[in-house]
């Protein structure tokens, strides 16, 4: 082998080894260390979406997305209350994450390729599988979105919703007139006042807004699902150590549900002989340490926030006013898509 090539190979190999050696350590000195030093998690959430993220009159936030912020705080600080909620509109959310104003986004945000690649974000999971639909006045007597030819449709800017609605009408060779707003309140108000025939958004949001509307029963959500909207948390690109914390906080909740570990049973489950439960709860292995946390990281999540099923039920499911069926958000063992990667 020619000496020049050999030297180059050695140099490349050395650089690769150094990168591998530096990789995990570097990742962990980023957001995780910043968050630990600050003592609170800055979590970007929706400004107010029932079931997902909503402040009450005392400023207490609840919702499925809020619970993910709480889970991360429980894993990092052993205290789910150490969260500063930063309400963000659809348009503001990505700059807030990119600029460092928030450490993570947990805000009904669809994981798309452009956002995950060129927008500087990194999606780390899906905490709610959704799809876009339409809400219309019951008095119109419509049965399907394909009957919306010529309709005026209220839509919010800065969302995937805008593009999907264009695609849907184009693909079905139908016409429509978009009325676009920057804020959700304006969009919904325009629909409620009769300025638009339909309001289009993710199905979960349609149910949430229907509930808030002056006369919920006057509105129907059409059965059509015109897109895939995998909603999930995102972190900044290039911060994989921090991404791991958020990703595994979600998986811990899903795995806990699958293993039957709830906020009520988690203490007694610490004595379980089931190896999967023992690893989840930090009784065996160093799974927390591998992320820069203590090994009871998932115990704290389940104890303080609950498993995924508990969070789903109380926020959006059978135990909530929204009463949304588990559907695609059921565990994979029950015909759904929620699947926690194994802790081992
Ligand atoms: N999942 C879609 C839509 C998410 C979204 O932001 N929806 C709007 C309503 S269509 C919303 O939540 N608005 C609340 C706000 O901007 O304050 C996306 O990621 O683009």
């Amino acid at each position: 082998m020619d000496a020049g090539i050999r030297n180059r190979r050695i140099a490349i190999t050395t650089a690769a080894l150094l990168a591998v050696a530096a990789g995990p350590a570097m990742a962990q000195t980023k957001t995780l260390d910043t968050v630990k030093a600050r003592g609170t998690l800055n979590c970007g959430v929706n400004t107010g979406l029932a079931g997902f993220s909503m402040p009450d009159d005392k400023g207490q936030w609840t919702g499925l997305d809020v619970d993910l912020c709480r889970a991360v705080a429980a894993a990092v600080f052993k205290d789910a209350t150490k969260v500063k909620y930063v309400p963000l509109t659809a348009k503001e959310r990505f700059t807030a994450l990119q600029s460092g104003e928030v450490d993570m986004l947990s805000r009904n945000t669809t994981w798309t390729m452009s956002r995950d690649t060129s927008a500087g974000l990194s999606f780390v999971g899906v905490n709610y599988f959704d799809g876009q639909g339409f809400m219309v006045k019951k008095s119109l007597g419509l049965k399907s979105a394909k009957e919306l030819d010529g309709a005026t449709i209220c839509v919010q800017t800065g969302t995937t919703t805008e593009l999907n609605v264009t695609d849907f009408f184009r693909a079905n060779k139908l016409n429509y007139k978009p009325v676009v707003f920057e804020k959700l309140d304006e969009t919904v108000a325009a629909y409620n006042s009769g300025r638009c025939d339909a309001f289009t958004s993710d199905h979960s949001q349609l149910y949430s807004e229907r509930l808030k509307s002056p006369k919920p029963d006057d509105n129907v959500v059409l059965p059509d699902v015109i897109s895939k909207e995998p909603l999930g948390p995102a972190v900044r690109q290039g911060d994989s150590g921090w991404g791991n914390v958020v990703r595994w906080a979600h998986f811990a909740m899903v795995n806990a549900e699958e293993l039957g570990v709830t906020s009520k049973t988690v203490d007694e489950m610490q004595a379980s002989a089931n190896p999967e439960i023992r690893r989840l709860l930090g009784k065996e292995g160093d799974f927390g340490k591998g992320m820069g946390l203590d090994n009871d990281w998932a115990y704290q999540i389940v104890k303080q926030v609950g498993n995924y099923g508990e969070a789903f039920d109380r926020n959006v499911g059978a135990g909530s006013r929204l009463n949304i069926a588990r559907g695609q958000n059921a565990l994979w063992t029950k015909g759904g898509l929620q699947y926690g990667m194994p802790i081992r």
Side-chain angles (χ1 to χ4, degrees), residues 82-95:
K82 296 218 161 130
V83 183
K84 183 180 152 210
Y85 295 97
V86 182
L88 300 167
T89 66
K91 211 176 144 201
E92 293 163 342
R93 59 186 151 171
F94 302 126
T95 14

Side-chain angles (χ1 to χ4, degrees), residues 100-161:
E101 187 189 345
V102 296
D103 305 310
M104 61 181 276
L105 262 190
S106 183
R107 189 211 169 278
N108 60 302
T109 295
T110 308
W111 182 346
T112 67
M113 186 168 177
S114 55
R115 288 172 176 177
D116 204 31
T117 55
S118 47
L121 317 176
S122 205
F123 284 83
V124 293
V126 179
N127 67 335
Y128 191 96
F129 288 93
D130 210 337
Q132 189 174 328
F134 298 88
M135 180 161 76
V136 294
K137 293 272 173 324
K138 201 184 232 165
S139 56
L140 290 178
L142 300 181
K143 293 279 172 288
S144 151
K146 302 224 173 99
E147 296 168 339
L148 284 169
D149 196 16
T152 305
I153 301 188
C154 279
V155 56
Q156 191 180 345
T157 190
T159 59
T160 49
T161 319

Side-chain angles (χ1 to χ4, degrees), residues 182-214:
E182 198 181 310
K183 296 214 160 81
L184 179 61
D185 288 354
E186 301 163 350
T187 322
V188 174
Y191 166 77
N192 283 333
S193 73
R195 221 176 125 191
C196 304
D197 302 307
F199 164 54
T200 185
S201 166
D202 299 341
H203 262 86
S204 58
Q205 301 198 3
L206 297 178
Y207 291 119
S208 166
E209 290 306 326
R210 181 173 172 268
L211 211 63
K212 275 199 265 166
S213 78

